[in-house]
């Protein structure tokens, strides 16, 4: 039986993508060879890379002043590559601290320049997205984490500023349209909403590059990869191919606008049940709730039922709903590929569990 996959990452991919990926691992197109055993400079793979680079920009609506790269080292490497490439020693970058991932990004900046953490929701356990803060107009860039995978909060609007926004979109890439004109750069590890672990999508406005006065090691310089169309060295061929399959799937669904509508429906289904159910309570502020990661806990007084509910989930094929260790309780990750039917299965279990235990 195919189970319901609520894991946070690596995470659910569309079934049709997994099938096509499996086929390509045996024989790619009509080549009679696996995609895993052909040259990354073959015309067949070059076509994959070109389509993937173009489709990423097309889906989100980025123009020709931006370049797409498929990098390695995870989204975590972008935490240092961003300031290394964009921030000079005497310049200042602004960061908004909305949880673990922003924190890890913040930690790397001091090696390259000055940092100004202009807002944080740490005071309330990262349960909300800060809104009223000043963005100094001389900041080199403003770094945000659009969706907080662990705390289940999401920016539903991006600040109005002339400072280019650099955004970690690892856990909500391609889940909705974004105001492209606000972004100097976005990046996303593939393994939440796009493909297998092993590649990181980066879309960068070209005019921001080449402005710092430091020596940047070849492999860590965005311009190296831009100059070689993301094939300076051997790129992660399989993660890129599977990411391309997912992007084609997003396009077939009607693009990111259609994904957003579906994600809103799915989110409403689950959040409505959390709000209605006497046993469960959501942990993030309503207006900032994430449509990708839904954390919730047992209502006060019912904490002893937590392991029982996890067992019920497991026995019904609901996988990956145990909460992150610092938040506790449960977290249902409901990325693009998650079906409404799977969420309905979880909702029905929650209802049934409350009927028996509340
Ligand atoms: C998972 C995640 C990361 C880390 O990604 P890696 O590819 O493992 O380095 C960074 N940011 C966010 C928002 C994430 O969800």
């Amino acid at each position: 039986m195919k189970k319901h996959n609520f894991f946070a990452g690596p995470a659910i991919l569309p079934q049709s993508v997994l099938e096509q990926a499996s086929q390509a691992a045996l024989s790619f197109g009509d080549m009679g060879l696996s995609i895993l055993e052909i040259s990354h400079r073959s015309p067949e793979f070059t076509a994959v890379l070109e389509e993937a680079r173009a489709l990423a920009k097309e889906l989100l609506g980025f123009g020709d002043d931006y370049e797409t790269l498929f990098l390695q080292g995870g989204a975590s490497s972008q935490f240092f590559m961003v300031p290394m490439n964009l921030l000079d020693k005497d310049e200042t970058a602004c960061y908004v601290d909305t949880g673990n991932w922003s924190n890890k990004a913040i930690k790397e900046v001091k090696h390259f320049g000055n940092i100004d953490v202009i807002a944080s929701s740490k005071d309330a356990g990262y349960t909300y997205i800060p809104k009223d803060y000043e963005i100094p107009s001389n900041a080199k860039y403003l770094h945000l984490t659009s969706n907080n995978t662990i705390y289940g909060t999401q920016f539903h609007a991006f600040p109005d500023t002339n400072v280019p926004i650099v955004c970690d979109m690892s856990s909500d890439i391609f889940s909705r349209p974004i105001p492209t004109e606000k972004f100097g750069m976005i990046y996303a590890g593939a393994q939440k909403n796009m493909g297998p672990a092993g590649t990181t999508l980066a879309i960068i406005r070209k005019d921001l590059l080449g402005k710092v006065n430091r020596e940047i090691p070849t492999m860590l310089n965005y311009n190296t990869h831009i100059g070689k169309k993301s094939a300076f060295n051997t790129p992660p061929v399989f993660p890129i191919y599977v990411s391309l399959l997912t992007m084609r799937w997003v396009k077939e669904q009607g693009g990111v606008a259609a994904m957003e509508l579906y994600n809103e429906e799915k989110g409403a289904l689950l959040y409505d049940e959390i709000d209605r159910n006497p046993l469960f309570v959501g942990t993030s502020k309503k207006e900032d709730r994430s449509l990708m990661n839904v954390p919730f806990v047992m209502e006060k007084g019912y904490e002893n039922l937590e392991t029982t509910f996890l067992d019920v989930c497991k026995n019904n094929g609901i996988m990956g709903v145990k909460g992150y260790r610092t938040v506790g309780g449960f977290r249902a990750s409901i990325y693009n590929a998650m079906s409404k039917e799977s969420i309905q299965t979880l909702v029905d279990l929650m209802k049934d569990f409350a009927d028996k235990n509340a």
Side-chain angles (χ1 to χ4, degrees):
M1 180 188 76
K2 179 80 184 180
K3 300 194 169 153
H4 306 280
N5 184 354
F6 287 89
F7 278 106
I12 186 168
L13 291 170
Q15 187 63 24
S16 62
V17 166
L18 296 176
E19 281 159 14
Q20 293 172 75
S22 310
Q23 182 52 45
L26 295 171
S27 177
F28 180 47
D30 53 9
M31 282 187 89
L33 294 170
S34 166
I35 192 167
L36 304 178
E37 57 182 5
I38 59 168
S39 170
H40 61 289
R41 305 210 185 276
S42 60
E44 289 82 358
F45 186 73
T46 302
V48 166
L49 191 51
E50 281 313 294
E51 186 185 343
R53 293 175 68 221
L55 191 49
K57 282 205 314 190
E58 181 193 322
L59 285 173
L60 294 170
F62 282 104
D64 288 339
D65 40 346
Y66 291 80
E67 282 279 353
T68 311
L69 301 174
F70 286 93
L71 301 167
Q72 303 193 54
S76 299
S77 289
Q78 297 313 305
F79 297 164
F80 67 83
M81 279 177 73
V82 165
M84 181 185 268
N85 282 269
L86 301 184
L87 186 67
D88 236 339
K89 213 166 66 155
D90 52 1
E91 293 175 327
T92 300
C94 292
Y95 278 63
V96 175
D97 169 26
T98 50
N100 291 30
W101 297 116
S102 350
N103 254 290
K104 288 186 171 168
I106 286 168
K107 255 177 79 181
E108 301 299 325
V109 181
K110 62 174 184 290
H111 303 299
F112 306 99
N114 304 314
I115 176 154
D116 187 358
V117 179
I118 55 172
S120 171
S121 49
K122 191 173 183 182
D123 57 353
Y126 295 118
T127 51
Y128 71 101
I129 297 289
K131 287 180 198 79
D132 297 316
Y133 45 85
E134 291 281 319
I135 302 161
S137 58
N138 64 343
K140 196 66 188 292
Y141 63 85
L142 167 66
H143 183 281
L144 307 175
T145 312
S146 54
N147 183 71
N148 297 283
T149 325
I150 293 173
Y151 294 98
T153 59
Q154 188 173 23
F155 281 82
H156 293 302
F158 293 94
D160 282 316
T161 171
N162 293 328
V163 175
I165 299 177
V166 174
C167 194
D168 177 358
M169 296 192 173
S170 294
S171 51
D172 65 355
I173 188 84
F174 303 134
S175 70
R176 55 174 173 171
I178 53 168
T180 51
E181 69 285 356
K182 292 189 177 179
F183 297 101
M185 173 177 173
I186 65 162
Y187 61 91
Q191 71 274 17
K192 309 281 168 43
N193 214 7
M194 185 171 80
T199 193
T200 302
L201 168 70
I203 301 181
I204 311 169
R205 212 174 75 203
K206 285 177 277 189
D207 67 300
L208 296 175
L209 298 174
K211 304 252 165 87
V212 293
N213 283 313
R214 69 174 57 87
E215 290 278 326
I216 300 175
T218 311
M219 271 295 285
L220 302 182
N221 193 326
Y222 294 129
N223 271 331
T224 302
H225 300 283
I226 288 174
K228 297 291 180 184
K229 301 190 164 154
S230 212
F232 167 72
N233 68 324
T234 318
V237 293
F238 199 56
I240 293 172
Y241 179 61
V242 182
S243 297
L244 170 61
L245 294 175
T246 310
M247 287 190 277
R248 284 183 186 158
W249 175 85
V250 169
K251 190 173 172 176
E252 280 161 27
Q253 307 303 304
V256 292
M259 291 308 334
E260 178 178 50
L261 290 178
Y262 193 47
N263 287 327
E264 281 170 355
E265 266 182 49
K266 292 187 299 178
L269 184 59
L270 184 51
Y271 281 117
D272 285 352
E273 178 58 21
I274 290 170
D275 292 341
R276 184 209 64 83
N277 194 302
L279 288 187
F280 301 100
V281 57
T283 55
S284 44
K285 191 172 175 189
K286 278 190 186 173
E287 66 188 42
D288 300 325
R289 282 171 161 178
S290 165
L291 291 179
M292 297 281 105
N293 310 95
V294 181
F296 54 104
V297 295
M298 295 297 337
E299 193 72 69
K300 266 199 182 48
Y302 290 103
E303 291 90 344
N304 59 327
L305 289 174
E306 192 172 306
T307 45
T308 320
F309 184 67
L310 285 171
D311 285 342
V312 168
C313 286
K314 203 167 159 211
N315 295 336
N316 286 278
I318 302 256
M319 308 302 288
V321 291
K322 190 174 166 49
Y324 188 82
R325 60 184 186 280
T326 54
V327 182
F330 317 100
R331 172 177 51 173
S333 295
I334 54 172
Y335 297 115
N336 280 351
M338 170 65 60
S339 71
K340 211 169 157 181
E341 292 70 32
S342 286
I343 297 176
Q344 189 64 54
T345 305
L346 173 60
V347 164
D348 290 344
L349 279 187
M350 292 165 76
K351 285 197 166 104
D352 186 57
F353 194 71
D355 288 346
K356 290 185 176 131
N357 295 286

